[in-house]
Amino acid sequence: MKEEGLTLKQGMEACSSVEDPFNTDYRMMMTLGHGHFSEVKLAFHVPTVTCVAVKLLRNKKKYNSIFNSEISVMKSMNHPNIIKLFHVIEKEEITYLVMEHASEGELLRRILERGSLPESEAEMIFTQVVHAVNYCHENQVVHRDIKATNILMDCRGNAKLIDFSLSVKVTPGQKLRGFCGTLPYCAPELFARGEYDPYPIDMWCLGILLFLMVAGHFPFQSKSFSGMRNEVTSGNFTIPHYVSISIFNIILELLIINPCRRPTIKDIMRRPMIRASEARSPPPSTPASQAPRALALSGP
């Protein structure tokens, strides 16, 4: 059994279905994780002999607009470093998102097990996440919750960005309001409670992520909301002395308090560290345009 999917003649778009193939086609195996409105399970898809991840979206009446937004964004995503949505199955109370399974689990677990990551590995993972975010921003999608638990690793060491529940598709120049995201990753402008440009939010999150990978801890570590707000808005943090100058400089750029001065994702793509790391990245395990044919059932 291949954990990352079979190589079939593929290329179909993720589709929705009101059918119920679960009773015959799927075998639920174990719970992989929980979210605020969802649960993710490992499942075995019998027709293709493939392991998949199934996200169960519950309480549809209350969160229907959030779910619809997430599904719409995920259907439009087609990148090797973004988890692939194969199939959407609608039921009365639950919506099932059948997705690519990344067998090596969360990046956070890898960091915690090792204390921190070797710089070569951190650079490779960061570069792949940067490519995923660049793809999102090119398509006017802002993720707004980039973090180590929302990055999975596949069996070849490739990073996969997941969980678009807080993502939003924005028009040029559009500003957003409202606090969102995960506290240790939240940008200073979110604490101001005013309007903000959404793109620099993702860039701040990338800075926190890179710091976490090489340091093994967050740059801002307060346990309370008010304490975190004070730490983040003051911008006081210390990068470990052993961090290389190339990573050091990118962290400093991304964790600039003023969002207008933060680099864009295109700016980061041009950094020598990213260019050098691109050549070392492993090949994608499953081409982004592919989905197991039996998973892409015809539907509305």
Side-chain angles (χ1 to χ4, degrees):
M1 180 182 69
K2 295 182 179 180
E3 293 185 47
E4 300 298 330
L6 301 180
T7 303
L8 305 172
K9 289 184 179 180
Q10 303 161 332
M12 301 179 68
E13 294 296 324
C15 61
S16 299
S17 175
V18 293
E19 302 173 7
D20 183 8
F22 267 75
N23 290 335
T24 55
D25 289 353
Y26 293 89
R27 299 291 182 268
M28 292 296 187
M29 298 167 65
M30 60 182 291
T31 299
L32 297 174
H34 295 272
H36 290 297
F37 350 95
S38 63
E39 181 179 13
V40 180
K41 290 183 175 292
L42 176 65
F44 182 68
H45 186 246
V46 177
T48 57
V49 197
T50 305
C51 283
V52 294
V54 180
K55 186 172 185 177
L56 288 69
L57 303 177
R58 305 181 187 276
N59 205 345
K60 290 175 59 176
K61 292 181 180 179
K62 185 175 181 180
Y63 301 112
N64 193 52
S65 62
I66 296 175
F67 295 163
N68 287 341
S69 176
E70 178 179 6
I71 292 168
S72 176
V73 168
M74 288 200 69
K75 281 185 176 182
S76 71
M77 296 288 99
N78 187 15
H79 190 275
N81 298 118
I82 296 175
I83 212 74
K84 183 68 179 175
L85 175 65
F86 292 148
H87 192 200
V88 180
I89 299 171
E90 301 275 1
K91 291 189 178 181
E92 186 175 352
E93 295 297 328
I94 303 175
T95 295
Y96 299 87
L97 307 186
V98 181
M99 301 176 293
E100 173 187 3
H101 172 53
S103 61
E104 295 303 303
E106 295 177 355
L107 173 60
L108 180 62
R109 185 181 69 182
R110 180 175 294 209
I111 297 170
L112 293 176
E113 287 175 349
R114 303 182 187 182
S116 63
L117 300 184
E119 286 201 356
S120 59
E121 183 177 1
E123 289 173 358
M124 186 202 71
I125 293 171
F126 182 74
T127 295
Q128 291 190 337
V129 176
V130 163
H131 277 271
V133 174
N134 179 62
Y135 175 85
C136 291
H137 288 193
E138 283 184 335
N139 289 277
Q140 293 79 52
V141 171
V142 183
H143 189 280
R144 298 202 298 174
D145 200 21
I146 300 168
K147 56 184 179 180
T149 50
N150 280 344
I151 297 163
L152 303 182
M153 305 301 300
D154 72 12
C155 64
R156 294 190 183 181
N158 289 296
K160 305 277 185 174
L161 182 62
I162 68 166
D163 194 352
F164 286 79
S165 58
L166 294 182
S167 67
V168 61
K169 195 170 182 67
V170 295
T171 57
Q174 181 182 354
K175 304 290 185 181
L176 300 181
R177 297 184 67 93
F179 191 91
C180 71
T182 302
L183 191 56
Y185 293 84
C186 285
E189 57 267 32
L190 289 173
F191 294 97
R193 301 291 190 176
E195 289 189 334
Y196 56 86
D197 181 354
Y199 290 100
I201 299 292
D202 279 357
M203 305 312 296
W204 178 275
C205 291
L206 287 174
I208 299 292
L209 177 68
L210 182 56
F211 185 104
L212 176 63
M213 284 195 287
V214 296
H217 60 83
F218 290 107
F220 310 105
Q221 302 183 57
S222 177
K223 301 300 183 183
S224 68
F225 182 89
S226 60
M228 183 65 73
R229 179 185 58 204
N230 293 337
E231 286 188 26
V232 169
T233 54
S234 66
N236 291 326
F237 63 94
T238 302
I239 301 174
H241 65 87
Y242 54 79
V243 173
S244 66
I245 190 65
S246 58
I247 292 180
F248 184 98
N249 287 337
I250 289 181
I251 291 173
L252 284 184
E253 283 189 279
L254 291 171
L255 298 186
I256 290 176
I257 297 297
N258 185 345
C260 297
R261 294 179 55 206
R262 253 172 253 153
T264 66
I265 196 66
K266 291 296 186 187
D267 294 331
I268 295 299
M269 292 276 288
R270 290 191 287 266
R271 296 297 179 263
M273 186 194 87
I274 302 298
R275 295 288 181 88
S277 183
E278 287 170 345
R280 302 195 303 269
S281 291
S285 56
T286 304
S289 62
Q290 295 182 350
R293 187 167 46 187
L295 288 175
L297 304 176
S298 60

